[in-house]
Amino acid sequence: MNIILFGPPGAGKGTQSQYLVKKTKGFQISTGDMLRDEIKKETEIGKKIINDMNEGRFVSDEIVNQLIRDIIFDESKKNKLIFDGYPRSISQAKNLEFLLNESNQNIDFVFFLNVNKETIINRIEKRKVLENRSDDDLKTIIKRYDTYMETTKPVLDFYSKYLNFHEINGALEIDEITRKIDTFINV
Ligand code: AMP
């Protein structure tokens, strides 16, 4: 089963994808984590993306598309993919469709954790303290939220035509969101 989780930063995508990883014995593909890792390891990619990441801008499609390619073709992860934070633009969605086609896979479920700006700001402020994330000052949070909603809206329109697209109220408690996701997934 391949699943895409959508939602602005702070909507709880990460938490729900970790739950789905356990439930479906899947693999989380968090492009945010992968990109932060590149910065931490000071790779060539890391050096290219550090400014965009710190200022809340999207990293180029080219870099992100390149990062996920190998995972999709990894036989041991086939049909066990939980996408957290990818795709985020139409170009990424088309790239994903192409790669899945090439590797004989489909998207089985798309969940959109929808949540307003105020709730997000409160949550990220708390997470900033817990996780000590450098890109999380308030200005960046707002920028990231706006960028996400602006750029991801066309992607949502693209996926909302899928039979298995479900919008979930991301302002609910974590457990309640998990329960809602559970009602759609039977494994
Ligand atoms: P996240 O951890 O998913 O909230 O992502 C943190 C930051 O990483 C974002 O604000 C973007 O700068 C970058 N990022 C993560 N995923 C993507 C993506 N699919 N496309 C472009 N930039 C991304």
Side-chain angles (χ1 to χ4, degrees), residues 1-185:
M1 187 184 294
N2 292 325
I3 300 170
I4 297 179
L5 278 169
F6 276 114
K13 290 186 307 280
T15 309
Q16 299 302 332
S17 28
Q18 277 161 22
Y19 169 77
L20 285 168
V21 162
K22 269 198 208 137
K23 183 177 165 99
T24 67
K25 298 192 174 61
F27 296 90
Q28 180 185 11
I29 304 183
S30 161
T31 40
D33 283 349
M34 292 165 87
L35 293 166
R36 278 187 287 276
D37 207 43
E38 295 287 332
I39 293 177
K40 211 162 102 195
K41 289 185 182 147
E42 298 181 352
T43 63
E44 279 309 307
I45 290 180
K47 285 175 203 154
K48 274 191 206 155
I49 63 175
I50 191 158
N51 287 338
D52 283 340
M53 290 278 289
N54 284 342
E55 282 157 39
R57 288 189 297 266
F58 275 12
V59 168
S60 80
D61 289 333
E62 198 191 347
I63 289 180
V64 185
N65 287 342
Q66 185 192 326
L67 279 180
I68 64 142
R69 193 188 158 83
D70 289 348
I71 304 177
I72 291 175
F73 285 94
D74 183 338
E75 280 298 321
S76 68
K77 296 186 174 141
K78 214 166 172 178
N79 289 313
K80 294 177 185 171
L81 306 170
I82 316 286
F83 291 96
D84 161 12
Y86 184 95
R88 259 159 138 123
S89 66
I90 285 285
S91 148
Q92 292 179 17
K94 288 190 173 154
N95 177 65
L96 180 61
E97 199 157 63
F98 173 77
L99 295 176
L100 289 175
N101 259 333
E102 289 281 293
S103 57
N104 278 320
Q105 301 182 73
N106 291 310
I107 292 296
D108 298 288
F109 289 98
V110 181
F111 294 108
F112 173 40
L113 310 185
N114 197 2
V115 59
N116 66 29
K117 204 191 271 193
E118 216 172 52
T119 311
I120 292 289
I121 290 172
N122 289 336
R123 279 192 192 161
I124 299 194
E125 280 284 273
K126 281 187 200 145
R127 198 169 73 181
K128 182 179 157 187
V129 179
L130 289 175
E131 295 181 11
N132 194 21
R133 283 170 54 157
S134 66
D135 58 339
D136 280 344
D137 64 87
L138 195 62
K139 208 169 124 229
T140 314
I141 292 164
I142 295 168
K143 170 87 182 152
R144 285 169 60 199
Y145 182 91
D146 291 341
T147 307
Y148 188 90
M149 284 310 205
E150 218 169 87
T151 322
T152 311
K153 179 74 176 59
V155 191
L156 286 175
D157 295 342
F158 178 84
Y159 282 113
S160 61
K161 295 178 191 77
Y162 272 51
L163 204 57
N164 276 327
F165 175 91
H166 303 284
E167 182 168 334
I168 296 173
N169 179 4
L172 294 171
E173 291 299 319
I174 290 173
D175 288 355
E176 286 177 279
I177 298 176
T178 305
R179 236 175 289 133
K180 286 203 185 282
I181 291 178
D182 260 344
T183 59
F184 299 110
I185 295 177

